[in-house]
Amino acid sequence: MNLNSGDTAWMLSATALVMLMTPGVGLFYGGLVRKKNVISIISLSFIAYALVSVQWVLLGYSLSFGPDIMGFIGNLNYLGLREVGLENSDLTMPELAFVMFQLTFAAITLAILTSGVAERGRLSSFIIFGVLWTTFIYDPLAHWVWGGGWSARLGALDFAGGTVVHISSGFSALALSIVIGRRSGFGEYDMEPHNIPMTLAGLALLWFGWFGFNAGSALAANSLASNALLVTNTAAASGALGWLFASWLRAKPSSTGMASGAVAGLVAITPAAGYVDPIASIIIGVVAGLLCYRAMLFRLQRGLDESLDAWAIHGIGGLWGSIATGIFANSSVNGYSGLLYGNLEQFSVQVIAAGAAMIYAFTATLVLAKIIDVIVKLRVREEEEYVGLDISQHGEEAYA
Amino acid sequence: MNLNSGDTAWMLSATALVMLMTPGVGLFYGGLVRKKNVISIISLSFIAYALVSVQWVLLGYSLSFGPDIMGFIGNLNYLGLREVGLENSDLTMPELAFVMFQLTFAAITLAILTSGVAERGRLSSFIIFGVLWTTFIYDPLAHWVWGGGWSARLGALDFAGGTVVHISSGFSALALSIVIGRRSGFGEYDMEPHNIPMTLAGLALLWFGWFGFNAGSALAANSLASNALLVTNTAAASGALGWLFASWLRAKPSSTGMASGAVAGLVAITPAAGYVDPIASIIIGVVAGLLCYRAMLFRLQRGLDESLDAWAIHGIGGLWGSIATGIFANSSVNGYSGLLYGNLEQFSVQVIAAGAAMIYAFTATLVLAKIIDVIVKLRVREEEEYVGLDISQHGEEAYA
Amino acid sequence: MNLNSGDTAWMLSATALVMLMTPGVGLFYGGLVRKKNVISIISLSFIAYALVSVQWVLLGYSLSFGPDIMGFIGNLNYLGLREVGLENSDLTMPELAFVMFQLTFAAITLAILTSGVAERGRLSSFIIFGVLWTTFIYDPLAHWVWGGGWSARLGALDFAGGTVVHISSGFSALALSIVIGRRSGFGEYDMEPHNIPMTLAGLALLWFGWFGFNAGSALAANSLASNALLVTNTAAASGALGWLFASWLRAKPSSTGMASGAVAGLVAITPAAGYVDPIASIIIGVVAGLLCYRAMLFRLQRGLDESLDAWAIHGIGGLWGSIATGIFANSSVNGYSGLLYGNLEQFSVQVIAAGAAMIYAFTATLVLAKIIDVIVKLRVREEEEYVGLDISQHGEEAYA
Amino acid sequence: MKKIEAIIRPERLDQVKEELERAAFKSMTITEVKGRGEQKGITLQFRGQRMTVDLLPKIKVEIVVEDERVDTVVKTIMKAARTGRIGDGKIFIIPVEHAIRIRTGESGNHAI
Amino acid sequence: MKKIEAIIRPERLDQVKEELERAAFKSMTITEVKGRGEQKGITLQFRGQRMTVDLLPKIKVEIVVEDERVDTVVKTIMKAARTGRIGDGKIFIIPVEHAIRIRTGESGNHAI
Amino acid sequence: MKKIEAIIRPERLDQVKEELERAAFKSMTITEVKGRGEQKGITLQFRGQRMTVDLLPKIKVEIVVEDERVDTVVKTIMKAARTGRIGDGKIFIIPVEHAIRIRTGESGNHAI
Ligand SMILES: Nc1ncnc2c1ncn2[C@@H]1O[C@H](COP(=O)(O)OP(=O)(O)O)[C@@H](O)[C@H]1O
Ligand SMILES: Nc1ncnc2c1ncn2[C@@H]1O[C@H](COP(=O)(O)OP(=O)(O)O)[C@@H](O)[C@H]1O
Ligand SMILES: Nc1ncnc2c1ncn2[C@@H]1O[C@H](COP(=O)(O)OP(=O)(O)O)[C@@H](O)[C@H]1O
């Protein structure tokens, strides 16, 4: 296809928007941790971004989007972006723009799962873990869905990464948190968020950037992108209101709940954004708010210290969104229809694809984390955890 | 018309930019309140955004842009975005992009007027108020000016919302603050801003987002948008410098004054951005800075507790901008000319349109707020106000 | 050439992105200073932006891009943007969009050099200095490189401002810091950053905005812009990792080091972004991280109080980037080749252009700063410095 | 010498400072604290249930004075800090055996 | 009257508050402080070298009580604040000569 | 036992800590406070008018020691905190009747 300057313009902007989501995750998480760990958690997001930025150019793009090997992974043709022309026949934009757009997705996925090691993960071990995780877990998953892998061939729909980004990071965070163990003091005393306005500022960046994430996934400045933009916003709003009102039934409605609900709505609409209409997006968002709220309560009941709720919000929200795509897909939007319009097959395919992503991400992360833990220890020493990771990992204090 | 991918690309980006302004308002306000109310005021912005996001899709777009009823409001044809095609013959972008762009305007308008209930408004009452206000006050005003209502037919110019967004939110905030009453302690002891860097960060997001607000209102990526972008920036800069130097004559020049001046300049150029040239924008900005500064002093003299100066900045700035459009409109920019170029009629029309918006917004808000206050009480109880809204409305503390 | 809506769309977005970098600098610096000076340093960025916004429209654009006078500066043809049409035959976008895009570059350059007066500069003197500096130092430098001046004619490459923005601000900051002298207490006791998360938030805005800075400098939404986007990101990531690991050899790896490294990478790739390939960008970034880290250590050894390291990061990073362009330029990217591909001439030209910018910026700033210091004093009084600039210059306290 | 430790409402600090100044007491040290008294803070209603906000923000004002001036300081603070409602705070008097001015090394009553 | 000044671990504050409440001591003032004891904080290893983090965050709890209740308060705090590891903190007892309730002007034991 | 309460310049804290450590005093508690002394803070000029910044940031250092070591501590602090300019701060000595180590329950001089 020919290059289209409008499509390219939008993809450049969308890429910038998605990039900003990673520090958005950092700030969102940063506000939720204790004061002694805020530098650590924000830095982990940046470091995740930096590591993946380099890995993607050298290796990751090839593994994800290189010519298919057995439906599972791409080959090494594009190593170091060799043979990646500045233009690609399938796209209306330069291929490097596509490479870069996809890079931001790979990066934020790793950033999201820092939730699982929050306030106790060793910096050096996380660096090693991160590079391996993005290579062995993210890259194959991206290949399955977007790179021509088995999931794509099966006909699974994932518009902007419900499985690849959210199920994968959410369930990986859960696995990671199980391997690394609970924070010392968890369940014994309160670990209050140290700076809620920071979390809300993070939410602002996330919501903003998500427009690039979902509407950018149309890979063009067209009707589909416009639909994605609108439903993304509505789902976020509905998720925020859903969690707000649901939590209001039990206690005062917290702003962190509202924020979590908004993210839940954004997560859930991610796979669906190019397939569902605005009314469906309201339902998807509200259900995401309620469901992820329940998931969080469930996690707390079970004493699981997946500390910043990547599992409850991204994992469960992504699961719901992937399935919801199979329910609400409306052929008038993009030619695909879901259960609601009588297409049971799409629904089944969605369940299979989501389930496979979930199982792969969880299991592979469990194994990878365990191996790394045995070799270099994932967790800081007790006294390092006590004084906080900012001092013990970075030699800094956040606030003077 | 045909879809233009460049125009669409810009509108997608512009929409994202405007979206970010709402949390920008939240942070701007958040820095100005006391520590015990910061979560409340930031959350109000997000909640305003979420409420309007849903209302707009279900109802608001139809009331604003649906086929005209007597010049006053749109009909219900577009309820739930029924019959809103993905493409629209008047636009060079998908209509859903236009719907979403306009949504962000409706949302921020409600966020701005949270100034009037700052540090004392009940969350639940504000939710009810907000939904009704956007339906009965914003939607008609948007219809008057942009939806083919009487004001548009009269020939009033409002490029990006001087009347619809700023006069309406500013004067509504004033009405609201009168109904709800002063904060307890107002005038007795100082209520210092608790975090000025937060306010300055909010300013950054506002200034940034305003480029989408004004240059996006060209609805295309063209010369008009470029002119709007440039004059928006110049007016903001001039407003900042105007307020800075004016306040310097009385005391040390505060950063909050500089920030307020920048917003005043942005507000004032809003209706004018597609009609005036760069030199005019400097004048509009400087005058906005001086005028809104005086308005703030006047408000304080009068003991009015319109706490975060939505009235002084958005109300008076918007009034000035609407009139200034009638003065400085230069036909070389967009075919319209103002008083300066001998067109008294345009000037008169501007005064009428601005006056009508002011009166409608103020009066209707006064009535609506009073009714809601009688039924569910707009204000929290005294002891809730004393401990702060963060704890009493959200059960949270901002900083640990 | 004809207007292209896609190119225009991208330039409007890119301009907004670059605008956000200036408050990004403010926050980056704001986190690094002591609590008593945070309002001052953030405000200086905004004020720099506001001053240049007005100056650029009235005078600066003409001096930079007006018809050439002796290769040194533009003439006054475009004063007040007179004769600047809405369209320009060389561009595929409206000329006002180009004017505004360039404005954001001029503005941030002045903001960067506030590092040299941090925590001790008089507000009023800085305002005078700023207006003169941008007129006599920035505008000529921009003309040399981009306005058809001698450097351009010589064939020097500077894609997005390595010399104009970074060498110039970095070495000017150094000169300024020498004239104004060290902060009282410098070297005697620790002056710890007061809010590192603020610095990291600033980094987020910088990294994000830099996409507009570099990819926008393609002046079109095309392959070149896409290449610039990708290499910008990779260099930033590599710079962050480079500094992180280098500093890890000596001590715990600080987040401020990581952040500084990212900026160093961004600075270094700036002149090169349109000429080098992704692999080269990794090298450029890593070297930038190492080099600027060394430069910072050197500065500290020498007891130089160029307080926020504009010199070490922007000055040295810009120098490295300009030279690296002459080394790594790859003709497959944009038709130019560097030393690595046997083109010694390009390398020499780069050295000359960078050297000239460095010498001009340093010397002219030294003279200008000295003159202003003699006349109006650049520095606040000792007791004003002791209580902090927030109170003494703005009459405000950052946090209550 | 005594140290007067007054726990007051934050919104009364300016008034306390002013009144003390008028009474010629300039020196003081203040600390942001949180506290609760007998009433255990402030009780809010939420769906018929009570919820108590204890640990409200307070300001601790510390003033070291000669014994004979203690009374004046106490009275001055009481006048300025009193609103008549629960939460007005308390004043404690603590003995100080010695005071030294770091700058000059002066000690005793000269130092305060 | 005595002032009991207890420097405790921040993570134990809730427990200390609760136990004191159960023992009918509601009034208190708390301050965020930093401190170090004999062990000079916590020692970390970094490439074989030792690095000490002194000045760890602590909470200072101040409670003024009648002389005869000092013991109960001390015991209660000790019970609630103790983890058995270095850093548990200290309690200091300081004489208070006088206490005044600002709201009512009551003084002495009635005021605390 | 005495409590030494020193109000010092924040920028001198590191030096004070160091000197105390050299003199074998490791334990201390520090609090961020604001204060003013006789000079009422710092006076700035603004267009011919004077404007006073009172309540400058200070650090309160609290050290409880046996009676006989008070002098050493005071001298050490004075040496380290002194710049010779107004605002150097003050030291107050307050009686402590009792000290208890929470971890062990030890009390008296053993506990400090
Ligand atoms: N016995 C006490 N010991 C220590 N601090 C006290 C004591 N009594 C009162 N205070 C302090 O004085 C403040 C005001 O007390 P009070 O007037 O009883 O108010 P409230 O009932 O609102 O807590 C408390 O918040 C606390 O900080
Ligand atoms: N002699 C003392 N003077 C003042 N404060 C003290 C003294 N001893 C202990 N403290 C305070 O009590 C806290 C706990 O002391 P300790 O249990 O010895 O712990 P650590 O060894 O971790 O410092 C210290 O952090 C300090 O704030
Ligand atoms: N009488 C006093 N009571 C309580 N605090 C005092 C007293 N005198 C001095 N201080 C504390 O000591 C600090 C330093 O005092 P001083 O050296 O007189 O400085 P300055 O003149 O700058 O206020 C003050 O800021 C205050 O916190």
Side-chain angles (χ1 to χ4, degrees), chain D residues 7 34-39 41 58 86-90 92, chain E residues 27-29 62-64 101 112:
Chain D
I7 319 284
K34 291 191 171 185
R36 63 182 193 190
E38 275 309 302
Q39 289 72 17
K58 302 277 168 188
I86 286 165
D88 275 354
K90 307 239 168 114
F92 304 116
Chain E
S27 305
M28 65 172 68
T29 299
E62 289 169 291
I63 305 175
V64 176
R101 189 188 298 275
I112 56 182

Side-chain angles (χ1 to χ4, degrees), chain D residues 27-29 62-64 101 111-112, chain F residues 7 34-41 56 58 86-90 92:
Chain D
S27 305
M28 64 172 71
T29 300
E62 289 170 289
I63 304 173
V64 175
R101 190 187 298 273
I112 57 180
Chain F
I7 319 283
K34 293 192 167 184
R36 63 183 194 191
E38 273 310 301
Q39 288 72 14
K40 256 208 70 178
L56 295 168
K58 301 279 169 188
I86 285 164
D88 274 355
K90 306 238 168 116
F92 304 116

